[in-house]
Amino acid sequence: MKSARTMQKEIYLDYAATTPMDQRVIDRVSQASKLYYGNPSSLHRLGMEAEQAIAAVRKNIAKTINCQESEVIFTSGGTEGNNMIIRGIVEKSRREKMRIITTAIEHPSVLDVFSFYQSHGIDVVFLEVDENGLIAMEDLQAALNEHTILVSIMGVNNELGTIQDLQAIGQLIKKSYPKCLFHSDFVQGYLKIPLDIKACRLDAITICAHKIFGPKGAGAVYLKKGLMTKPLLLGGGQEQGLRSGTQNVPGILGFDEAINLRKDIYLQDLELLQRMRDQLIEMLDKRLTDIKVNGQGSPYILNVSFNQVRGEVLLHSLEGAGIFVSTGSACSSHKKEKQYVLKAIGLPEDFKEGTIRISFSKDITDQDLEYTAEQIEKSVNSLRKLIRPKRK
Amino acid sequence: MEHVILVRYGEIALKGLNRRYFIDLLVKNIKNTLRRFESAKVKKIQGRIIVSINEAELSEAMQRVQKVFGIISISPAIVIESKMDVIEEQAIKMMAEVSDAKTFKVTAKRGDKRFPIQSPEIGRRLGGVILDAFEDLKVDLFEPDFNLWVEVREQTYMYHQFISCNGGLPVGCSGKGALLLSGGIDSPIAGYQMAKRGVELTCVYFHSFPYTSDRAKQKVVDLAKIMSQYCGKIQLYVVPFTEIQTKIVELCPPRQTTIIMRRYMMRIAEMIAEKEGAKSLITGESLGQVASQTMEGLGATNAVANIPVFRPLIGFDKTEIVEIAQRIGTFETSILPYEDCCTIFVPKHPETKPKVSAIEKSEESIQEIMVDMMTTAVSDAEIIIL
């Protein structure tokens, strides 16, 4: 791909932050903007057509996660979905004593909600993780008690790519506390890795469109039938009263297109991506010393640390060569408390500073990988030379 | 009836024979800050500058005029014919608009001696009219809730608000200075302080991609934009500094790199100053704030400059600088967390008491290549006008 602005080679390796829309998605969004401009809540024909259009998408999403249509609620994306589920469940609960459990490495849109409730006197447990970012089942077992109303654990970590064993977690929770609700932020997993919500005993998950080549501003949650949450937004009563506000019809139809482009092939992609990730690790290992790969699981994400290098400088240096990666997650690079995920996995200080996240799609070619490895080698070596110059 | 902003200038009124020059410059600066307001007209009257503007744009225009240096205070005023009955009618109208006042006072000033009624008498008559019209109002000459000012000139100006401004001298009257602008808190304030004394600014920012990102550069552009509300037109030089910086880090002793880097920044800033006709350099240094800002450190950077180096913040504490930054609105932008080139290469143990002779000796090995590199850096600099 070439950048329109600079005509420089452009290799995008930040797919975990967001993805470019597929041309077919763009066409669908544009077509939907023209065709379905009616308000889905309007009584007339144009309203009904728009309503039917998004109803079909609801059905499509329900199929991909093996739930009922009525269990799919449209949102504006991951952050809203996570807030809606967690806050909705906590606010709805009338218990005086309650505990909620999550992990130390969640996305800020989960973590900050839990911290908020902690500062408001609710009993919150943040489960520790090991050096790969995995929680220990014993810790979860120990944290669960009869006051626990919610456990929220992400499926795929956005910085490390670590995949938690949601099935073991769900079964552990429900075996002893069937009434405790189980939510998973599945934004980095949806149509990338398989998920069986029934086997995992999940009550709610969060997904969004722009991580799978869909439009930004479109997402959904699955919320198990019969569960009521307190809505964040009050108003027109759309989405069964759980999410008032006129639905983003073009965004939802774009989401639909993105789903259709992936749903039948994503399992095959896994192997390809795995090879790609392994290949890049191997190339880097050959070229550089003092590097460390963090996390394990998703082939879509490679989190790698270079001793004695600053991640942010390496990022910009690669940017100069037309390669776009990220440090940690794009969402938390605005925050002061940076690198809480790396801290949680106990990464040594001299590696922590020099961490970048490379995230893939199947559009990456072998030449791209080769060039990327080459440029990383070049940048890391020149940065190391400067930041630790030889004493004279 | 017309809406105007009444502008009072202070210090410049005292500048003797140059007075006209100062006032004309102030008028020019006010015109410049209001260039996007189509209805704005700026004119001089005796002892005042009058900005006439339509009511819809008045409050936004006041926000801008308030920030122009050389102004003591402004008042939004109504202009009417200098006829006593018209004045009386307007006084009642203005009083009617303030419902919460219980006491009032009228201060009248007759600037136009052709007007038949003397100042104290104007005040008394208006007071009487107001008392007649509003039963619940009382006069309080010492602490009135509402003070109505009446200035009778060729036309009559009536107002009740005094908004105090930043004072200083009109930007441009003290010549030009080249400000070393980083993305931090201090340097924008240094520029602000010098502009307050009438200095027009050319800003010099050293960009070290990839050590500093394009967001860091954008941050500096944003800062300069905020500064320009006070300092008028600003020229911002974005100097590519990566090669020079890496050369220094590669070839000079680690403890001295910060000082040597700063010396080259001063040299380049001086080259730009010469090109732009600036007669001084301005930095945001404050004594003892960081390792390079000890007296010895400042001495070592100062030694390369051939024109005066102004450091208006030299005696300021950080908290005082932050206070100004918050007041003028640069603080929020300054604290955005992008790496800037000063922090990235900071050695673990920087030299705090450098000797100029030792630094000069270290520079010998790079001096020759630096001549070309500096020339290239200046000619390759991107110039942004704000």
Side-chain angles (χ1 to χ4, degrees):
Chain A
M1 216 184 289
K2 290 245 172 81
S3 157
R5 277 180 302 144
T6 57
M7 291 306 288
Q8 194 194 21
K9 192 182 178 81
E10 195 174 294
I11 302 177
Y12 185 73
L13 290 171
D14 201 12
Y15 290 92
T18 192
T19 55
M21 276 198 271
D22 190 284
Q23 185 56 47
R24 287 161 288 188
V25 174
I26 296 173
D27 293 344
R28 184 85 183 278
V29 170
S30 139
Q31 180 210 31
S33 308
K34 277 188 222 153
L35 222 52
Y36 300 113
Y37 61 87
N39 188 323
S41 303
S42 290
L43 296 177
H44 48 64
R45 179 173 56 84
L46 293 175
M48 198 183 76
E49 283 170 2
E51 191 191 9
Q52 283 173 344
I54 64 172
V57 184
R58 208 185 297 280
K59 199 167 173 182
N60 196 13
I61 292 175
K63 248 196 201 151
T64 61
I65 51 182
N66 188 23
C67 70
Q68 295 175 29
E69 290 161 57
S70 62
E71 294 174 321
V72 174
I73 296 140
F74 291 117
T75 67
S76 65
T79 294
E80 187 191 335
N82 287 334
N83 270 267
M84 171 179 167
I85 296 292
I86 299 162
R87 296 172 69 170
I89 288 169
V90 172
E91 307 276 334
K92 187 79 187 174
S93 171
R94 296 220 179 81
R95 296 205 202 178
E96 261 183 39
K97 257 183 120 172
M98 64 167 109
R99 169 174 282 190
I100 51 180
I101 300 172
T102 189
T103 77
I105 58 167
E106 296 293 312
H107 186 269
S109 63
V110 170
L111 213 52
D112 285 5
V113 179
F114 274 77
S115 301
F116 169 82
Y117 284 122
Q118 187 174 44
S119 69
H120 282 68
I122 290 180
D123 179 14
V124 176
V125 178
F126 296 98
L127 297 172
E128 307 274 309
V129 294
D130 66 13
E131 81 254 29
N132 288 317
L134 289 165
I135 62 157
M137 289 302 151
E138 307 83 71
D139 292 352
L140 174 61
Q141 176 82 59
L144 286 163
N145 63 14
E146 76 267 28
H147 303 300
T148 311
I149 62 161
L150 171 68
V151 177
S152 178
I153 292 175
M154 72 201 315
V156 179
N157 182 270
N158 55 313
E159 291 190 32
L160 304 169
T162 296
I163 300 176
Q164 303 288 349
D165 188 347
L166 294 180
Q167 188 165 336
I169 293 168
Q171 282 171 1
L172 177 67
I173 298 167
K174 297 291 179 174
K175 191 179 71 199
S176 330
Y177 302 100
K179 280 191 180 156
C180 172
L181 300 181
F182 181 28
H183 164 249
S184 181
D185 169 1
F186 205 60
V187 165
Q188 295 286 356
Y190 181 59
L191 295 188
K192 290 185 174 177
I193 62 164
L195 175 73
D196 183 342
I197 54 164
K198 300 276 158 42
C200 297
R201 312 279 304 266
L202 277 157
D203 298 295
I205 69 168
T206 306
I207 60 175
C208 80
H210 76 101
K211 308 286 193 199
I212 54 164
F213 303 87
K216 292 163 184 69
V221 297
Y222 148 74
L223 182 65
K224 196 173 175 183
K225 200 173 184 175
L227 287 178
M228 288 302 289
T229 64
K230 204 166 172 196
L232 293 180
L233 302 177
L234 302 175
Q238 288 88 343
E239 301 296 306
Q240 307 165 52
L242 291 170
R243 205 280 187 183
S244 284
T246 301
Q247 289 94 342
N248 172 7
V249 178
I252 290 169
L253 293 189
F255 195 2
D256 190 50
E257 193 66 29
I259 291 168
N260 289 339
L261 290 170
R262 287 188 72 81
K263 63 180 178 188
D264 298 324
I265 53 163
Y266 76 99
L267 290 176
Q268 286 121 274
D269 286 356
L270 269 178
E271 213 176 301
L272 180 76
L273 269 295
Q274 190 65 54
R275 254 206 322 271
M276 201 181 278
R277 184 177 181 273
D278 292 346
Q279 204 179 331
L280 184 58
I281 294 174
E282 200 187 305
M283 286 193 275
L284 292 176
D285 257 334
K286 244 186 244 162
R287 289 161 188 267
L288 289 160
T289 55
D290 286 346
I291 77 171
K292 202 174 169 315
V293 173
N294 310 305
Q296 60 171 36
S298 171
Y300 283 86
I301 293 174
L302 170 60
N303 185 298
V304 57
S305 306
F306 305 88
N307 193 346
Q308 297 279 357
V309 167
R310 281 225 213 168
E312 192 171 327
V313 177
L314 177 56
L315 178 152
H316 291 304
S317 174
L318 292 173
E319 175 188 344
I323 299 168
F324 298 89
V325 301
S326 114
T327 58
S329 78
C331 290
S332 49
S333 55
H334 296 289
K335 309 195 87 158
K336 288 217 175 108
E337 174 60 51
K338 277 181 175 179
Q339 302 192 312
Y340 63 93
V341 173
L342 301 178
K343 209 167 136 190
I345 61 168
L347 195 64
E349 205 59 41
D350 45 344
F351 278 100
K352 218 166 73 181
E353 283 287 323
T355 303
I356 57 171
R357 177 188 70 185
I358 299 165
S359 44
F360 307 98
S361 89
K362 65 172 174 182
D363 301 335
I364 308 295
T365 63
D366 284 352
Q367 289 95 308
D368 291 343
L369 285 183
E370 188 68 40
Y371 177 74
T372 301
E374 219 170 82
Q375 291 301 323
I376 291 178
E377 178 190 14
K378 206 169 130 195
S379 297
V380 167
N381 280 337
S382 72
L383 294 177
R384 279 179 175 166
K385 198 170 85 191
L386 286 181
I387 292 186
R388 48 173 179 187
K390 289 197 185 75
R391 295 220 167 237
K392 292 191 177 173
Chain B
M1 193 186 84
E2 194 192 357
H3 287 274
V4 299
I5 305 167
L6 205 68
V7 177
R8 300 177 195 84
Y9 39 86
E11 199 172 340
I12 61 173
L14 305 172
K15 295 282 176 192
L17 292 175
N18 286 328
R19 203 174 135 184
R20 223 189 109 134
Y21 162 74
F22 284 101
I23 295 169
D24 285 348
L25 190 55
L26 182 55
V27 168
K28 189 181 131 209
N29 291 350
I30 294 173
K31 275 185 183 160
N32 180 51
T33 199
L34 295 178
R35 64 192 180 278
R36 280 189 210 92
F37 296 79
E38 274 177 21
S39 72
K41 287 197 180 60
V42 186
K43 65 173 184 188
K44 297 182 283 182
I45 61 169
Q46 178 68 34
R48 300 263 189 277
I49 293 168
I50 301 293
V51 179
S52 58
I53 190 146
N54 65 34
E55 203 183 348
E57 294 179 321
L58 181 70
S59 78
E60 210 188 321
M62 277 186 9
Q63 293 289 333
R64 292 198 70 90
V65 174
Q66 261 180 71
K67 292 175 179 163
V68 175
F69 288 125
I71 298 174
I72 290 295
S73 68
I74 59 172
S75 295
I78 301 283
V79 188
I80 48 173
E81 232 182 310
S82 291
K83 275 189 185 158
M84 200 57 202
D85 55 337
V86 181
I87 295 170
E88 285 172 358
E89 197 184 317
Q90 182 62 30
I92 288 173
K93 221 197 260 171
M94 284 170 81
M95 272 321 300
E97 278 165 21
V98 279
S99 50
D100 50 348
K102 293 198 170 58
T103 58
F104 78 101
K105 170 187 173 181
V106 179
T107 312
K109 261 162 94 181
R110 186 182 61 151
D112 182 355
K113 303 300 174 200
R114 291 168 303 178
F115 192 75
I117 309 165
Q118 290 185 349
S119 301
E121 179 61 15
I122 300 173
R124 271 197 294 280
R125 280 192 35 190
L126 287 178
V129 172
I130 291 168
L131 282 173
D132 287 346
F134 303 95
E135 282 183 351
D136 52 340
L137 272 177
K138 286 197 178 72
V139 173
D140 182 344
L141 295 180
F142 303 103
E143 277 181 81
D145 296 338
F146 185 88
N147 194 345
L148 179 64
W149 294 75
V150 184
E151 288 188 24
V152 182
R153 296 158 179 267
E154 204 165 315
Q155 287 181 296
T156 293
Y157 301 86
M158 295 178 70
Y159 54 90
H160 62 92
Q161 265 177 292
F162 267 85
I163 298 161
S164 61
C165 303
N166 297 312
L169 298 172
V171 168
C173 75
S174 306
K176 224 188 226 184
L179 169 71
L180 283 82
L181 182 65
S182 75
I185 296 169
D186 302 344
S187 51
I189 305 308
Y192 171 88
Q193 293 292 359
M194 292 312 295
K196 185 173 175 179
R197 297 310 297 167
V199 177
E200 186 184 340
L201 300 178
T202 292
C203 298
V204 184
Y205 164 64
F206 296 92
H207 191 46
S208 291
F209 193 88
Y211 304 100
T212 50
S213 69
D214 285 339
R215 276 204 174 89
K217 172 184 153 192
Q218 186 57 45
K219 175 174 146 177
V220 172
V221 173
D222 293 343
L223 283 171
K225 180 119 204 142
I226 298 169
M227 288 166 66
S228 72
Q229 294 173 14
Y230 300 87
C231 312
K233 193 182 94 176
I234 288 180
Q235 251 184 332
L236 172 64
Y237 273 72
V238 179
V239 180
F241 198 57
T242 316
E243 282 179 32
I244 293 176
Q245 200 171 8
T246 47
K247 244 329 151 242
I248 293 170
V249 176
E250 262 171 48
L251 299 176
C252 298
R255 279 167 65 86
Q256 297 176 347
T257 50
T258 309
I259 292 284
I260 292 176
M261 193 182 80
R262 290 200 64 86
R263 280 163 61 95
Y264 278 100
M265 287 180 170
M266 297 290 268
R267 289 179 174 115
I268 290 171
E270 192 169 287
M271 288 163 75
I272 291 169
E274 192 178 347
K275 198 173 145 203
E276 291 298 331
K279 300 279 185 284
S280 67
L281 299 181
I282 303 164
T283 76
E285 287 155 321
S286 154
L287 191 62
Q289 198 186 83
V290 292
S292 63
Q293 295 177 18
T294 59
M295 213 175 277
E296 290 83 356
L298 294 174
T301 47
N302 203 67
V304 300
N306 300 303
I307 54 178
V309 181
F310 294 131
R311 299 180 177 84
L313 307 183
I314 198 71
F316 281 46
D317 287 350
K318 196 77 184 179
T319 49
E320 295 170 303
I321 300 169
V322 166
E323 235 167 73
I324 302 174
Q326 280 170 331
R327 181 160 52 77
I328 73 170
T330 53
F331 184 72
E332 291 299 317
T333 305
S334 284
I335 60 171
L336 290 174
Y338 311 118
E339 306 270 10
D340 87 51
C341 56
C342 295
T343 62
I344 195 113
F345 286 119
V346 174
K348 277 219 174 73
H349 301 287
E351 188 76 80
T352 53
K353 295 192 171 170
K355 288 206 176 65
V356 176
S357 57
I359 300 282
E360 279 172 352
K361 193 152 180 292
S362 302
E363 281 179 2
E364 266 170 28
S365 63
I366 52 172
Q367 221 154 29
E368 219 164 294
I369 42 171
M370 281 295 170
V371 175
D372 282 346
M373 287 175 91
M374 288 198 294
T375 314
T376 310
V378 172
S379 62
D380 286 355
E382 180 189 357
I383 302 171
I384 301 170
I385 311 278
L386 296 155

